[in-house]
Every structure is written in C-alpha cells, then in structure tokens.
Amino acid sequence: LFSSEALVYGGHAYAVLQVGEDEVRSMLLLPGGLLAVAAGEGSLQLFSEEALHKGGKASAVLSTGEDVTELVLLPGKGLAAATSDRYIYIFTPSAYSEANLPYATLPVSGRAMCICVLPTGSVAVGTWNDRVRVFDATTIAAGSGPYWSLHTSGEVLSLLPLPNGSLAAGTMTEVIDIFFEDTVTRGGTAQGQLAASSWIADMVLLPGGDLAALAGQIQVDL
C-alpha cells in the first residue's frame, strides 16, 4: 500500500497486506471500504478499512472453489468473480460481513478469463473457447436464466464496453473483435476487427475516445 504522497514524490509502501504465497490475480474495492483480493487457492480475501491503513491479514474469506481470474462490481453492489473452473460466482453484499457462500453460480462454456458489466446491467464473460457469454441483468439478479454467446476470433483475454453500446473483445489471435450494440444484446459474430501486434492482455479508453491495447504485455497499441 502506497500513500497519496508517495504517488507524487515516490517512496516505500506504508503497509503490506498478507495474502499468502500465491500470485494476486485481481483486486476490487467494495462498498464500505473493503478490498477484495483474488490470490489463488480458490478463495477471495477481504481486507477491512482498518487493514488498508495499517496492513495485516484478511478479515474474511469468500470461497470460489477455483482460482479467480477477474472481479467485477455489480450494479446492486454485489460481486461477480470469473474463475478457472468454467463458472462465475455471484456474492451479495451480505456475504462481505458474514463470509457466506456465493448467492449463485452461472456456467460459461470454457475457462473464464475476464468479466465486465455492460451499460444495460448485463454481464459479459470472456472465455478460453473463442466466445463471450452474456447474462442479462435479470439472470444475474435471479441467479439463473437465459444467456447468449458472442463468437470471437480466438481465446478472449480482455473485454471493454464502448460508449456507443458496442463491446470490444481482445483475443489471443492478435485481433480485437468489435460487437455492435444489437449483437451484444442478442448474440452473434463480430461486425468489425482491429489488428494488433500481439495477443491483447488489456484495453482502456483514452480521453477523446481512442482505444489503447496492451499487446502481449510488451507494448501498447493505439
């Protein structure tokens, strides 16, 4: 943990959170000041606001069965975790304090590599078998229900909702697939593609609407 002063002037961490020996895959700040950390071992570790000031161990653990690849905060302040066992796990806010089991598990068609919330409240999950599975907000709230698939050019490593309602999917095949809004809401194949220099590990939107893609964790394509 680094202070705001250290971000300006540099310096050492003021505290350390103890997460074990596994690598940290994802972190997410939750309502109420909690920090959720996915660090292998099939669980999410929750650190209290006090731990974020002083360091220390997790105050609670949420079980996911398998390693978490990415976390996302849901519109209702719940938490969805994409995992390596072909499921996403959904936790309600009450689980943060009571360390309950997930409210629901939803199946995806392959190892879930990334996850994002769309402007409609739907949740998109990128998988290792060349598709994005989309669950609408009703399915997320109920813990079961219909879903549809977006077919990609390769294994999906990253997802980015675009301002016009489209969805960008970064793949292992040096291609970013672009799905227009009508396809995102019903399923189908990409309407556009962007060529990159390597596989797409992450993407962000820049001021002005340009897209930056982390290509192969070596360089950024603009």
Side-chain angles (χ1 to χ4, degrees):
L1 302 176
F2 294 89
S3 67
S4 56
E5 182 177 326
L7 298 182
V8 177
Y9 300 106
H12 298 286
Y14 67 83
V16 174
L17 301 179
Q18 300 173 29
V19 298
E21 298 181 357
D22 288 321
E23 63 179 283
V24 175
R25 299 291 185 87
S26 184
M27 297 189 299
L28 185 67
L29 191 63
L30 303 176
L34 291 172
L35 179 69
V37 178
E41 300 180 351
S43 63
L44 291 175
Q45 301 182 42
L46 301 183
F47 293 89
S48 66
E49 191 172 2
E50 180 180 1
L52 298 184
H53 290 290
K54 299 180 179 180
K57 296 181 179 181
S59 57
V61 176
L62 303 179
S63 176
T64 58
E66 293 291 335
D67 292 350
V68 173
T69 52
E70 190 169 17
L71 300 170
V72 69
L73 190 65
L74 299 173
K77 298 184 179 180
L79 170 68
T83 71
S84 60
D85 69 344
R86 303 184 181 187
Y87 285 90
I88 62 170
Y89 291 74
I90 301 173
F91 297 90
T92 61
S94 63
Y96 306 156
S97 59
E98 301 172 8
N100 288 333
L101 295 174
Y103 164 72
T105 58
L106 297 173
V108 295
S109 53
R111 180 181 183 183
M113 300 301 298
C114 50
I115 186 170
C116 71
V117 177
L118 303 176
T120 58
S122 297
V123 171
V125 184
T127 73
W128 200 245
N129 71 336
D130 305 356
R131 71 186 62 191
V132 176
R133 180 155 288 184
V134 182
F135 301 91
D136 66 19
T138 303
T139 298
I140 295 296
S144 63
Y147 53 81
W148 53 93
S149 294
L150 308 176
H151 299 279
T152 61
S153 303
E155 298 93 335
V156 183
L157 297 179
S158 56
L159 293 170
L160 180 66
L162 302 177
N164 62 0
S166 298
L167 177 67
T171 73
M172 280 286 289
T173 56
E174 302 181 4
V175 167
I176 300 173
D177 289 321
I178 306 295
F179 298 90
F180 292 169
E181 184 177 14
D182 59 341
T183 302
V184 174
T185 57
R186 59 180 172 81
T189 57
Q191 283 77 41
Q193 291 184 331
L194 302 176
S197 57
S198 184
W199 45 274
I200 309 301
D202 199 8
M203 297 178 289
V204 295
L205 282 176
L206 302 176
D210 292 344
L211 186 149
L214 179 59
Q217 299 182 335
I218 296 175
Q219 65 184 43
V220 176
D221 289 346
L222 303 176

